[in-house]
Amino acid sequence: MIKSQRKRYSTGKNSIFALRKNFNSMSRKNRTLGEFIIENQSAFKYTTGELSSLINAIRLAAKVVNYEVNKAGLVDILGAAGDVNVQGEDQQKLDVYANEKFIQTMTNRNIVCGIASEEEDDFIAINSQDEKYQNKYVVLIDPLDGSSNIDVNVSVGTIFSVYRRVTPIGTPVTIEDFLQPGNQQVAAGYVVYGTSTMLVYTTGAGVNGFTLNPAIGTFYLSHPNMQFPLDGKIYSVNEGNYIHFPQGIKNYIKYCQMEEGDRPYTSRYIGSLVSDFHRNMIKGGIYIYPKSSLNSEGKLRLLYECNPMAFLAEQANGKASNGFQRIMDIKPTSLHQRVPFICGSKNMVEKCEEFMRNA
Ligand code: AHM
Ligand code: MG
């Protein structure tokens, strides 16, 4: 036995406790997403296994989409001569592909009664007339957010949101089932296809992040109980649009840039909501997509982007607002409604709201 090993194994009682503690926390962390879903199923108040199957389906579709996203550059090169790839298949835009995969996976498994997607004009009702299908959840999804980043090899993401239907089970879903305020969400999450692929989700009992081991295609719990730091030093906003922003946002940006206390803050904007949010949740920061003289309602969609991110933010001790009101309290009026979005570390969001109020 070499000296360093001997030293490690010949330690006293305290070190054995430390080792055991390490081992316990390692085994907690090394849980797969599948194991985590099963372990936590009973903690969910409406538990029937339906929501677990749904998260499982999303996990599966995420892996399939991840595979395509990762070879996107290659497919582009090989398919450059025409719109046909090496297998002779028509090349599809990845956002269309992701949309199809998520819808297909959830439809084939008969686990939801309706899906609304940022890529579809209208919602999709699934088998709702058939007595066999008594599903109670609807899913709203942005299958590939930030997809303009794909061409330049920058991270993109999938965002999803789950609600219990409000119309009777067994009848066809209606628009009412989808136009629920975010405070009715039962689950929400995202997949970030970045330097590593992660699935981060909440069912209302905190936020947990799972990293994909691509060698074996398994997600492992890598980020248990994720929390936004209360304060942060990063602000994420498309400053190119500064001239078009409301005065309150302009003033807040100037505040971020002022030399005082822990300021100026750092500016980081990927232009991919999931990635900007993910970084800010880990490091502390604020993401802002305000309304402007170009987009009178902002750009981001309440149902597919803002509500799920707001649910995650609140579950991670952060905050999400439109500048004046809690995002999750907005009553949606249409499927593709847009809202201004300010989200991140609680103290930063509150400071930004203060600037909005006082402008
Ligand atoms: P998309 O749904 O068309 O992909 O747009 C949403 C994306 C967000 O991920 C990102 O934060 C934002 O649009 C970037 O917009 P902009 O280029 O105007 O800054
Ligand atoms: Mg989007």
Side-chain angles (χ1 to χ4, degrees), residues 138 140 163-167 174-185 297 301-304 306-307 310 320-322 324-340:
V138 294
L140 294 99
Y163 295 81
R164 283 167 71 87
R165 62 181 302 174
V166 289
T167 54
T174 72
I175 187 77
E176 260 186 89
D177 295 310
F178 297 93
L179 298 186
Q180 300 188 51
N183 56 32
Q184 296 302 307
Q185 288 173 102
E297 302 304 323
R301 319 277 179 146
L302 174 60
L303 295 178
Y304 311 109
C306 305
N307 269 338
S321 154
N322 67 359
F324 303 97
Q325 187 187 2
R326 182 186 181 215
I327 286 289
M328 293 210 289
D329 285 343
I330 299 173
K331 173 80 185 98
T333 51
S334 68
L335 272 182
H336 296 279
Q337 182 176 346
R338 299 172 195 270
V339 287

mmCIF file of all heavy atoms in Angstrom, residues 138 140 163-167 174-185 297 301-304 306-307 310 320-322 324-340:
data_model
loop_
_atom_site.group_PDB
_atom_site.id
_atom_site.type_symbol
_atom_site.label_atom_id
_atom_site.label_comp_id
_atom_site.label_asym_id
_atom_site.label_seq_id
_atom_site.Cartn_x
_atom_site.Cartn_y
_atom_site.Cartn_z
ATOM 1 N N VAL A 138 -52.315 18.417 -18.897
ATOM 2 C CA VAL A 138 -51.975 19.032 -20.187
ATOM 3 C C VAL A 138 -50.548 19.551 -20.072
ATOM 4 O O VAL A 138 -50.101 19.937 -18.985
ATOM 5 C CB VAL A 138 -52.921 20.196 -20.583
ATOM 6 C CG1 VAL A 138 -54.321 19.694 -20.836
ATOM 7 C CG2 VAL A 138 -52.922 21.312 -19.545
ATOM 8 N N LEU A 140 -47.603 22.148 -21.784
ATOM 9 C CA LEU A 140 -47.299 23.264 -22.689
ATOM 10 C C LEU A 140 -45.789 23.264 -22.867
ATOM 11 O O LEU A 140 -45.055 23.139 -21.872
ATOM 12 C CB LEU A 140 -47.782 24.594 -22.095
ATOM 13 C CG LEU A 140 -49.307 24.658 -21.989
ATOM 14 C CD1 LEU A 140 -49.780 24.353 -20.601
ATOM 15 C CD2 LEU A 140 -49.817 26.003 -22.441
ATOM 16 N N TYR A 163 -50.040 21.231 -16.258
ATOM 17 C CA TYR A 163 -51.216 21.625 -15.466
ATOM 18 C C TYR A 163 -52.190 20.463 -15.388
ATOM 19 O O TYR A 163 -52.251 19.637 -16.308
ATOM 20 C CB TYR A 163 -51.976 22.782 -16.140
ATOM 21 C CG TYR A 163 -51.226 24.085 -16.231
ATOM 22 C CD1 TYR A 163 -50.289 24.300 -17.235
ATOM 23 C CD2 TYR A 163 -51.475 25.115 -15.323
ATOM 24 C CE1 TYR A 163 -49.604 25.505 -17.324
ATOM 25 C CE2 TYR A 163 -50.800 26.323 -15.414
ATOM 26 C CZ TYR A 163 -49.865 26.512 -16.410
ATOM 27 O OH TYR A 163 -49.196 27.705 -16.501
ATOM 28 N N ARG A 164 -52.994 20.448 -14.323
ATOM 29 C CA ARG A 164 -54.136 19.541 -14.303
ATOM 30 C C ARG A 164 -55.237 20.201 -15.126
ATOM 31 O O ARG A 164 -55.439 21.417 -15.021
ATOM 32 C CB ARG A 164 -54.660 19.376 -12.872
ATOM 33 C CG ARG A 164 -53.825 18.455 -12.015
ATOM 34 C CD ARG A 164 -54.219 18.618 -10.572
ATOM 35 N NE ARG A 164 -55.541 18.048 -10.317
ATOM 36 C CZ ARG A 164 -55.738 16.773 -10.010
ATOM 37 N NH1 ARG A 164 -54.714 15.960 -9.895
ATOM 38 N NH2 ARG A 164 -56.948 16.332 -9.793
ATOM 39 N N ARG A 165 -55.923 19.426 -15.925
ATOM 40 C CA ARG A 165 -57.006 20.002 -16.715
ATOM 41 C C ARG A 165 -58.105 20.516 -15.791
ATOM 42 O O ARG A 165 -58.279 20.003 -14.685
ATOM 43 C CB ARG A 165 -57.551 18.969 -17.708
ATOM 44 C CG ARG A 165 -58.151 17.751 -17.049
ATOM 45 C CD ARG A 165 -58.647 16.735 -18.065
ATOM 46 N NE ARG A 165 -59.644 17.342 -18.940
ATOM 47 C CZ ARG A 165 -60.169 16.734 -20.000
ATOM 48 N NH1 ARG A 165 -59.781 15.499 -20.301
ATOM 49 N NH2 ARG A 165 -61.047 17.333 -20.737
ATOM 50 N N VAL A 166 -58.852 21.525 -16.251
ATOM 51 C CA VAL A 166 -59.942 22.042 -15.415
ATOM 52 C C VAL A 166 -61.301 21.532 -15.903
ATOM 53 O O VAL A 166 -62.280 21.578 -15.177
ATOM 54 C CB VAL A 166 -59.940 23.590 -15.364
ATOM 55 C CG1 VAL A 166 -58.764 24.096 -14.552
ATOM 56 C CG2 VAL A 166 -59.955 24.218 -16.758
ATOM 57 N N THR A 167 -61.342 21.029 -17.137
ATOM 58 C CA THR A 167 -62.591 20.463 -17.654
ATOM 59 C C THR A 167 -62.664 18.983 -17.243
ATOM 60 O O THR A 167 -61.632 18.400 -16.880
ATOM 61 C CB THR A 167 -62.634 20.601 -19.194
ATOM 62 O OG1 THR A 167 -61.436 20.017 -19.714
ATOM 63 C CG2 THR A 167 -62.722 22.043 -19.616
ATOM 64 N N THR A 174 -60.291 21.634 -23.698
ATOM 65 C CA THR A 174 -60.650 22.898 -24.341
ATOM 66 C C THR A 174 -59.557 23.919 -24.042
ATOM 67 O O THR A 174 -58.671 23.661 -23.219
ATOM 68 C CB THR A 174 -61.995 23.453 -23.815
ATOM 69 O OG1 THR A 174 -61.771 23.923 -22.482
ATOM 70 C CG2 THR A 174 -63.101 22.413 -23.817
ATOM 71 N N ILE A 175 -59.689 25.073 -24.635
ATOM 72 C CA ILE A 175 -58.703 26.141 -24.450
ATOM 73 C C ILE A 175 -58.555 26.514 -22.968
ATOM 74 O O ILE A 175 -57.479 26.850 -22.493
ATOM 75 C CB ILE A 175 -59.061 27.381 -25.326
ATOM 76 C CG1 ILE A 175 -57.965 28.441 -25.302
ATOM 77 C CG2 ILE A 175 -60.386 27.988 -24.929
ATOM 78 C CD1 ILE A 175 -56.779 28.130 -26.133
ATOM 79 N N GLU A 176 -59.659 26.370 -22.229
ATOM 80 C CA GLU A 176 -59.647 26.670 -20.770
ATOM 81 C C GLU A 176 -58.586 25.879 -20.023
ATOM 82 O O GLU A 176 -58.038 26.342 -19.032
ATOM 83 C CB GLU A 176 -60.983 26.210 -20.174
ATOM 84 C CG GLU A 176 -62.021 27.255 -19.934
ATOM 85 C CD GLU A 176 -63.184 26.584 -19.220
ATOM 86 O OE1 GLU A 176 -63.166 26.550 -17.978
ATOM 87 O OE2 GLU A 176 -64.068 26.062 -19.936
ATOM 88 N N ASP A 177 -58.363 24.644 -20.475
ATOM 89 C CA ASP A 177 -57.389 23.787 -19.797
ATOM 90 C C ASP A 177 -55.967 24.340 -19.934
ATOM 91 O O ASP A 177 -55.098 24.054 -19.116
ATOM 92 C CB ASP A 177 -57.450 22.359 -20.359
ATOM 93 C CG ASP A 177 -58.791 21.707 -20.069
ATOM 94 O OD1 ASP A 177 -59.206 21.744 -18.898
ATOM 95 O OD2 ASP A 177 -59.436 21.196 -21.015
ATOM 96 N N PHE A 178 -55.762 25.124 -20.984
ATOM 97 C CA PHE A 178 -54.421 25.658 -21.245
ATOM 98 C C PHE A 178 -54.240 27.081 -20.720
ATOM 99 O O PHE A 178 -53.143 27.476 -20.381
ATOM 100 C CB PHE A 178 -54.131 25.623 -22.756
ATOM 101 C CG PHE A 178 -54.114 24.228 -23.305
ATOM 102 C CD1 PHE A 178 -55.264 23.661 -23.842
ATOM 103 C CD2 PHE A 178 -52.955 23.469 -23.253
ATOM 104 C CE1 PHE A 178 -55.259 22.371 -24.330
ATOM 105 C CE2 PHE A 178 -52.937 22.168 -23.734
ATOM 106 C CZ PHE A 178 -54.094 21.615 -24.277
ATOM 107 N N LEU A 179 -55.347 27.822 -20.685
ATOM 108 C CA LEU A 179 -55.227 29.226 -20.265
ATOM 109 C C LEU A 179 -55.360 29.367 -18.745
ATOM 110 O O LEU A 179 -56.198 30.100 -18.242
ATOM 111 C CB LEU A 179 -56.276 30.090 -20.974
ATOM 112 C CG LEU A 179 -56.176 30.153 -22.495
ATOM 113 C CD1 LEU A 179 -57.173 31.153 -23.063
ATOM 114 C CD2 LEU A 179 -54.758 30.503 -22.945
ATOM 115 N N GLN A 180 -54.519 28.669 -18.032
ATOM 116 C CA GLN A 180 -54.527 28.750 -16.571
ATOM 117 C C GLN A 180 -53.351 29.614 -16.118
ATOM 118 O O GLN A 180 -52.293 29.602 -16.755
ATOM 119 C CB GLN A 180 -54.375 27.358 -15.968
ATOM 120 C CG GLN A 180 -55.469 26.382 -16.356
ATOM 121 C CD GLN A 180 -55.357 25.087 -15.551
ATOM 122 O OE1 GLN A 180 -55.274 25.110 -14.329
ATOM 123 N NE2 GLN A 180 -55.367 23.958 -16.230
ATOM 124 N N PRO A 181 -53.532 30.347 -15.022
ATOM 125 C CA PRO A 181 -52.388 31.126 -14.533
ATOM 126 C C PRO A 181 -51.270 30.196 -14.056
ATOM 127 O O PRO A 181 -51.540 29.059 -13.647
ATOM 128 C CB PRO A 181 -52.976 31.930 -13.364
ATOM 129 C CG PRO A 181 -54.223 31.243 -12.994
ATOM 130 C CD PRO A 181 -54.727 30.509 -14.200
ATOM 131 N N GLY A 182 -50.048 30.696 -14.102
ATOM 132 C CA GLY A 182 -48.877 29.888 -13.747
ATOM 133 C C GLY A 182 -48.930 29.332 -12.332
ATOM 134 O O GLY A 182 -48.308 28.304 -12.041
ATOM 135 N N ASN A 183 -49.699 29.998 -11.445
ATOM 136 C CA ASN A 183 -49.744 29.507 -10.060
ATOM 137 C C ASN A 183 -50.492 28.171 -9.962
ATOM 138 O O ASN A 183 -50.561 27.579 -8.897
ATOM 139 C CB ASN A 183 -50.343 30.567 -9.118
ATOM 140 C CG ASN A 183 -51.725 31.019 -9.548
ATOM 141 O OD1 ASN A 183 -52.501 30.244 -10.117
ATOM 142 N ND2 ASN A 183 -52.041 32.289 -9.292
ATOM 143 N N GLN A 184 -51.066 27.694 -11.068
ATOM 144 C CA GLN A 184 -51.738 26.385 -11.076
ATOM 145 C C GLN A 184 -50.838 25.270 -11.608
ATOM 146 O O GLN A 184 -51.270 24.120 -11.710
ATOM 147 C CB GLN A 184 -53.015 26.449 -11.935
ATOM 148 C CG GLN A 184 -54.080 27.387 -11.388
ATOM 149 C CD GLN A 184 -54.500 26.992 -9.981
ATOM 150 O OE1 GLN A 184 -54.865 25.845 -9.735
ATOM 151 N NE2 GLN A 184 -54.404 27.921 -9.039
ATOM 152 N N GLN A 185 -49.609 25.597 -11.959
ATOM 153 C CA GLN A 185 -48.720 24.566 -12.520
ATOM 154 C C GLN A 185 -48.450 23.472 -11.487
ATOM 155 O O GLN A 185 -48.265 23.760 -10.314
ATOM 156 C CB GLN A 185 -47.370 25.179 -12.919
ATOM 157 C CG GLN A 185 -47.450 26.055 -14.160
ATOM 158 C CD GLN A 185 -46.142 26.781 -14.427
ATOM 159 O OE1 GLN A 185 -45.382 26.390 -15.276
ATOM 160 N NE2 GLN A 185 -45.897 27.855 -13.704
ATOM 161 N N GLU A 297 -45.559 44.119 -26.064
ATOM 162 C CA GLU A 297 -45.845 43.182 -24.969
ATOM 163 C C GLU A 297 -44.591 42.435 -24.540
ATOM 164 O O GLU A 297 -44.674 41.480 -23.771
ATOM 165 C CB GLU A 297 -46.915 42.162 -25.402
ATOM 166 C CG GLU A 297 -48.246 42.749 -25.850
ATOM 167 C CD GLU A 297 -48.868 43.646 -24.790
ATOM 168 O OE1 GLU A 297 -48.750 43.317 -23.599
ATOM 169 O OE2 GLU A 297 -49.456 44.690 -25.163
ATOM 170 N N ARG A 301 -43.035 34.279 -24.442
ATOM 171 C CA ARG A 301 -44.413 33.778 -24.321
ATOM 172 C C ARG A 301 -44.720 33.416 -22.873
ATOM 173 O O ARG A 301 -43.961 32.671 -22.240
ATOM 174 C CB ARG A 301 -44.600 32.523 -25.175
ATOM 175 C CG ARG A 301 -43.939 32.566 -26.532
ATOM 176 C CD ARG A 301 -44.775 33.266 -27.547
ATOM 177 N NE ARG A 301 -44.070 33.281 -28.827
ATOM 178 C CZ ARG A 301 -44.670 33.206 -29.995
ATOM 179 N NH1 ARG A 301 -45.977 33.140 -30.070
ATOM 180 N NH2 ARG A 301 -43.975 33.241 -31.107
ATOM 181 N N LEU A 302 -45.851 33.906 -22.420
ATOM 182 C CA LEU A 302 -46.255 33.658 -21.035
ATOM 183 C C LEU A 302 -46.350 32.162 -20.738
ATOM 184 O O LEU A 302 -45.829 31.679 -19.738
ATOM 185 C CB LEU A 302 -47.611 34.345 -20.763
ATOM 186 C CG LEU A 302 -48.250 34.076 -19.405
ATOM 187 C CD1 LEU A 302 -47.362 34.542 -18.263
ATOM 188 C CD2 LEU A 302 -49.621 34.753 -19.304
ATOM 189 N N LEU A 303 -47.025 31.421 -21.639
ATOM 190 C CA LEU A 303 -47.338 30.033 -21.321
ATOM 191 C C LEU A 303 -46.178 29.069 -21.546
ATOM 192 O O LEU A 303 -46.038 28.093 -20.816
ATOM 193 C CB LEU A 303 -48.549 29.561 -22.133
ATOM 194 C CG LEU A 303 -49.860 30.269 -21.804
ATOM 195 C CD1 LEU A 303 -50.983 29.780 -22.692
ATOM 196 C CD2 LEU A 303 -50.240 30.053 -20.347
ATOM 197 N N TYR A 304 -45.372 29.317 -22.559
ATOM 198 C CA TYR A 304 -44.324 28.348 -22.896
ATOM 199 C C TYR A 304 -42.978 28.686 -22.281
ATOM 200 O O TYR A 304 -42.125 27.821 -22.153
ATOM 201 C CB TYR A 304 -44.149 28.260 -24.418
ATOM 202 C CG TYR A 304 -45.440 28.083 -25.158
ATOM 203 C CD1 TYR A 304 -45.972 29.112 -25.934
ATOM 204 C CD2 TYR A 304 -46.144 26.888 -25.058
ATOM 205 C CE1 TYR A 304 -47.170 28.957 -26.605
ATOM 206 C CE2 TYR A 304 -47.348 26.722 -25.724
ATOM 207 C CZ TYR A 304 -47.856 27.767 -26.494
ATOM 208 O OH TYR A 304 -49.044 27.600 -27.144
ATOM 209 N N CYS A 306 -42.337 31.993 -19.918
ATOM 210 C CA CYS A 306 -42.289 32.753 -18.655
ATOM 211 C C CYS A 306 -42.854 31.979 -17.466
ATOM 212 O O CYS A 306 -42.226 31.942 -16.400
ATOM 213 C CB CYS A 306 -42.997 34.089 -18.828
ATOM 214 S SG CYS A 306 -42.315 35.025 -20.199
ATOM 215 N N ASN A 307 -44.029 31.363 -17.620
ATOM 216 C CA ASN A 307 -44.611 30.664 -16.472
ATOM 217 C C ASN A 307 -43.733 29.527 -15.962
ATOM 218 O O ASN A 307 -43.480 29.432 -14.755
ATOM 219 C CB ASN A 307 -46.016 30.143 -16.803
ATOM 220 C CG ASN A 307 -47.085 31.169 -16.449
ATOM 221 O OD1 ASN A 307 -46.852 32.047 -15.612
ATOM 222 N ND2 ASN A 307 -48.240 31.071 -17.073
ATOM 223 N N ALA A 310 -40.792 30.949 -14.272
ATOM 224 C CA ALA A 310 -41.196 31.632 -13.032
ATOM 225 C C ALA A 310 -41.424 30.608 -11.916
ATOM 226 O O ALA A 310 -41.035 30.827 -10.764
ATOM 227 C CB ALA A 310 -42.465 32.442 -13.267
ATOM 228 N N ALA A 320 -40.012 36.125 -10.188
ATOM 229 C CA ALA A 320 -40.291 36.438 -11.595
ATOM 230 C C ALA A 320 -41.462 37.406 -11.662
ATOM 231 O O ALA A 320 -42.496 37.186 -11.028
ATOM 232 C CB ALA A 320 -40.617 35.176 -12.376
ATOM 233 N N SER A 321 -41.282 38.467 -12.458
ATOM 234 C CA SER A 321 -42.264 39.550 -12.476
ATOM 235 C C SER A 321 -42.328 40.129 -13.889
ATOM 236 O O SER A 321 -41.414 39.938 -14.693
ATOM 237 C CB SER A 321 -41.760 40.586 -11.466
ATOM 238 O OG SER A 321 -42.200 41.871 -11.754
ATOM 239 N N ASN A 322 -43.427 40.864 -14.150
ATOM 240 C CA ASN A 322 -43.454 41.591 -15.427
ATOM 241 C C ASN A 322 -43.033 43.052 -15.185
ATOM 242 O O ASN A 322 -43.189 43.899 -16.037
ATOM 243 C CB ASN A 322 -44.844 41.519 -16.082
ATOM 244 C CG ASN A 322 -45.902 42.269 -15.275
ATOM 245 O OD1 ASN A 322 -45.620 42.824 -14.218
ATOM 246 N ND2 ASN A 322 -47.123 42.270 -15.782
ATOM 247 N N PHE A 324 -44.323 44.749 -12.589
ATOM 248 C CA PHE A 324 -45.326 45.276 -11.670
ATOM 249 C C PHE A 324 -46.121 44.168 -10.986
ATOM 250 O O PHE A 324 -46.773 44.380 -9.988
ATOM 251 C CB PHE A 324 -46.310 46.195 -12.415
ATOM 252 C CG PHE A 324 -45.620 47.332 -13.118
ATOM 253 C CD1 PHE A 324 -45.305 47.251 -14.463
ATOM 254 C CD2 PHE A 324 -45.250 48.467 -12.403
ATOM 255 C CE1 PHE A 324 -44.650 48.297 -15.109
ATOM 256 C CE2 PHE A 324 -44.587 49.508 -13.039
ATOM 257 C CZ PHE A 324 -44.281 49.429 -14.394
ATOM 258 N N GLN A 325 -46.095 42.988 -11.587
ATOM 259 C CA GLN A 325 -46.975 41.921 -11.112
ATOM 260 C C GLN A 325 -46.235 40.587 -11.180
ATOM 261 O O GLN A 325 -45.382 40.377 -12.076
ATOM 262 C CB GLN A 325 -48.198 41.860 -12.046
ATOM 263 C CG GLN A 325 -49.274 40.919 -11.606
ATOM 264 C CD GLN A 325 -50.382 40.770 -12.662
ATOM 265 O OE1 GLN A 325 -50.314 41.355 -13.751
ATOM 266 N NE2 GLN A 325 -51.392 39.990 -12.340
ATOM 267 N N ARG A 326 -46.579 39.692 -10.244
ATOM 268 C CA ARG A 326 -46.017 38.347 -10.257
ATOM 269 C C ARG A 326 -46.423 37.651 -11.568
ATOM 270 O O ARG A 326 -47.626 37.646 -11.906
ATOM 271 C CB ARG A 326 -46.580 37.581 -9.047
ATOM 272 C CG ARG A 326 -46.068 36.196 -8.872
ATOM 273 C CD ARG A 326 -46.824 35.522 -7.718
ATOM 274 N NE ARG A 326 -46.358 34.175 -7.490
ATOM 275 C CZ ARG A 326 -47.143 33.167 -7.098
ATOM 276 N NH1 ARG A 326 -48.429 33.386 -6.876
ATOM 277 N NH2 ARG A 326 -46.651 31.960 -6.907
ATOM 278 N N ILE A 327 -45.439 37.097 -12.273
ATOM 279 C CA ILE A 327 -45.740 36.430 -13.549
ATOM 280 C C ILE A 327 -46.814 35.368 -13.368
ATOM 281 O O ILE A 327 -47.768 35.274 -14.151
ATOM 282 C CB ILE A 327 -44.449 35.797 -14.155
ATOM 283 C CG1 ILE A 327 -43.527 36.879 -14.723
ATOM 284 C CG2 ILE A 327 -44.776 34.739 -15.207
ATOM 285 C CD1 ILE A 327 -43.996 37.567 -15.981
ATOM 286 N N MET A 328 -46.695 34.553 -12.320
ATOM 287 C CA MET A 328 -47.593 33.404 -12.172
ATOM 288 C C MET A 328 -49.019 33.791 -11.800
ATOM 289 O O MET A 328 -49.900 32.940 -11.762
ATOM 290 C CB MET A 328 -47.020 32.412 -11.163
ATOM 291 C CG MET A 328 -45.741 31.755 -11.688
ATOM 292 S SD MET A 328 -45.509 30.103 -11.060
ATOM 293 C CE MET A 328 -45.122 30.426 -9.367
ATOM 294 N N ASP A 329 -49.252 35.078 -11.533
ATOM 295 C CA ASP A 329 -50.626 35.510 -11.230
ATOM 296 C C ASP A 329 -51.326 36.112 -12.453
ATOM 297 O O ASP A 329 -52.485 36.516 -12.356
ATOM 298 C CB ASP A 329 -50.624 36.535 -10.084
ATOM 299 C CG ASP A 329 -50.382 35.865 -8.736
ATOM 300 O OD1 ASP A 329 -50.541 34.635 -8.657
ATOM 301 O OD2 ASP A 329 -50.021 36.582 -7.784
ATOM 302 N N ILE A 330 -50.626 36.202 -13.569
ATOM 303 C CA ILE A 330 -51.261 36.774 -14.764
ATOM 304 C C ILE A 330 -52.235 35.750 -15.345
ATOM 305 O O ILE A 330 -51.867 34.588 -15.555
ATOM 306 C CB ILE A 330 -50.193 37.148 -15.833
ATOM 307 C CG1 ILE A 330 -49.230 38.198 -15.260
ATOM 308 C CG2 ILE A 330 -50.841 37.623 -17.131
ATOM 309 C CD1 ILE A 330 -48.040 38.518 -16.155
ATOM 310 N N LYS A 331 -53.446 36.179 -15.581
ATOM 311 C CA LYS A 331 -54.447 35.266 -16.178
ATOM 312 C C LYS A 331 -54.274 35.310 -17.695
ATOM 313 O O LYS A 331 -54.495 36.354 -18.320
ATOM 314 C CB LYS A 331 -55.856 35.736 -15.756
ATOM 315 C CG LYS A 331 -56.989 34.984 -16.441
ATOM 316 C CD LYS A 331 -57.264 33.616 -15.799
ATOM 317 C CE LYS A 331 -58.329 32.824 -16.563
ATOM 318 N NZ LYS A 331 -57.836 31.817 -17.497
ATOM 319 N N PRO A 332 -53.859 34.204 -18.293
ATOM 320 C CA PRO A 332 -53.616 34.225 -19.748
ATOM 321 C C PRO A 332 -54.908 34.442 -20.535
ATOM 322 O O PRO A 332 -55.976 33.986 -20.128
ATOM 323 C CB PRO A 332 -53.066 32.829 -20.050
ATOM 324 C CG PRO A 332 -52.789 32.191 -18.747
ATOM 325 C CD PRO A 332 -53.606 32.887 -17.706
ATOM 326 N N THR A 333 -54.780 35.132 -21.660
ATOM 327 C CA THR A 333 -55.951 35.355 -22.497
ATOM 328 C C THR A 333 -55.817 34.659 -23.844
ATOM 329 O O THR A 333 -56.796 34.451 -24.538
ATOM 330 C CB THR A 333 -56.171 36.869 -22.741
ATOM 331 O OG1 THR A 333 -54.938 37.422 -23.186
ATOM 332 C CG2 THR A 333 -56.606 37.572 -21.470
ATOM 333 N N SER A 334 -54.584 34.322 -24.222
ATOM 334 C CA SER A 334 -54.415 33.562 -25.474
ATOM 335 C C SER A 334 -53.177 32.683 -25.370
ATOM 336 O O SER A 334 -52.273 32.944 -24.566
ATOM 337 C CB SER A 334 -54.299 34.513 -26.664
ATOM 338 O OG SER A 334 -53.093 35.222 -26.567
ATOM 339 N N LEU A 335 -53.159 31.641 -26.212
ATOM 340 C CA LEU A 335 -52.104 30.627 -26.127
ATOM 341 C C LEU A 335 -50.704 31.200 -26.335
ATOM 342 O O LEU A 335 -49.758 30.786 -25.692
ATOM 343 C CB LEU A 335 -52.334 29.556 -27.206
ATOM 344 C CG LEU A 335 -53.226 28.374 -26.884
ATOM 345 C CD1 LEU A 335 -53.270 27.414 -28.068
ATOM 346 C CD2 LEU A 335 -52.757 27.639 -25.635
ATOM 347 N N HIS A 336 -50.599 32.145 -27.259
ATOM 348 C CA HIS A 336 -49.257 32.627 -27.616
ATOM 349 C C HIS A 336 -48.974 34.026 -27.068
ATOM 350 O O HIS A 336 -48.115 34.736 -27.594
ATOM 351 C CB HIS A 336 -49.062 32.551 -29.132
ATOM 352 C CG HIS A 336 -49.094 31.142 -29.644
ATOM 353 N ND1 HIS A 336 -48.009 30.300 -29.593
ATOM 354 C CD2 HIS A 336 -50.107 30.412 -30.176
ATOM 355 C CE1 HIS A 336 -48.348 29.106 -30.079
ATOM 356 N NE2 HIS A 336 -49.617 29.153 -30.447
ATOM 357 N N GLN A 337 -49.691 34.363 -26.014
ATOM 358 C CA GLN A 337 -49.544 35.678 -25.385
ATOM 359 C C GLN A 337 -48.088 35.950 -24.963
ATOM 360 O O GLN A 337 -47.401 35.079 -24.455
ATOM 361 C CB GLN A 337 -50.439 35.659 -24.133
ATOM 362 C CG GLN A 337 -50.474 36.931 -23.347
ATOM 363 C CD GLN A 337 -51.482 36.814 -22.186
ATOM 364 O OE1 GLN A 337 -52.308 35.883 -22.150
ATOM 365 N NE2 GLN A 337 -51.419 37.729 -21.268
ATOM 366 N N ARG A 338 -47.669 37.193 -25.181
ATOM 367 C CA ARG A 338 -46.309 37.599 -24.770
ATOM 368 C C ARG A 338 -46.396 38.511 -23.557
ATOM 369 O O ARG A 338 -47.373 39.243 -23.404
ATOM 370 C CB ARG A 338 -45.615 38.353 -25.906
ATOM 371 C CG ARG A 338 -45.441 37.511 -27.168
ATOM 372 C CD ARG A 338 -44.932 38.398 -28.304
ATOM 373 N NE ARG A 338 -45.059 37.779 -29.605
ATOM 374 C CZ ARG A 338 -44.129 37.015 -30.172
ATOM 375 N NH1 ARG A 338 -42.988 36.798 -29.545
ATOM 376 N NH2 ARG A 338 -44.314 36.495 -31.360
ATOM 377 N N VAL A 339 -45.359 38.467 -22.728
ATOM 378 C CA VAL A 339 -45.316 39.371 -21.561
ATOM 379 C C VAL A 339 -43.873 39.827 -21.320
ATOM 380 O O VAL A 339 -42.934 39.104 -21.659
ATOM 381 C CB VAL A 339 -45.821 38.695 -20.246
ATOM 382 C CG1 VAL A 339 -47.314 38.514 -20.248
ATOM 383 C CG2 VAL A 339 -45.103 37.386 -19.980
ATOM 384 N N PRO A 340 -43.705 41.024 -20.716
ATOM 385 C CA PRO A 340 -42.368 41.417 -20.289
ATOM 386 C C PRO A 340 -41.917 40.459 -19.187
ATOM 387 O O PRO A 340 -42.754 39.986 -18.411
ATOM 388 C CB PRO A 340 -42.568 42.829 -19.715
ATOM 389 C CG PRO A 340 -43.903 43.277 -20.212
ATOM 390 C CD PRO A 340 -44.724 42.057 -20.425
#
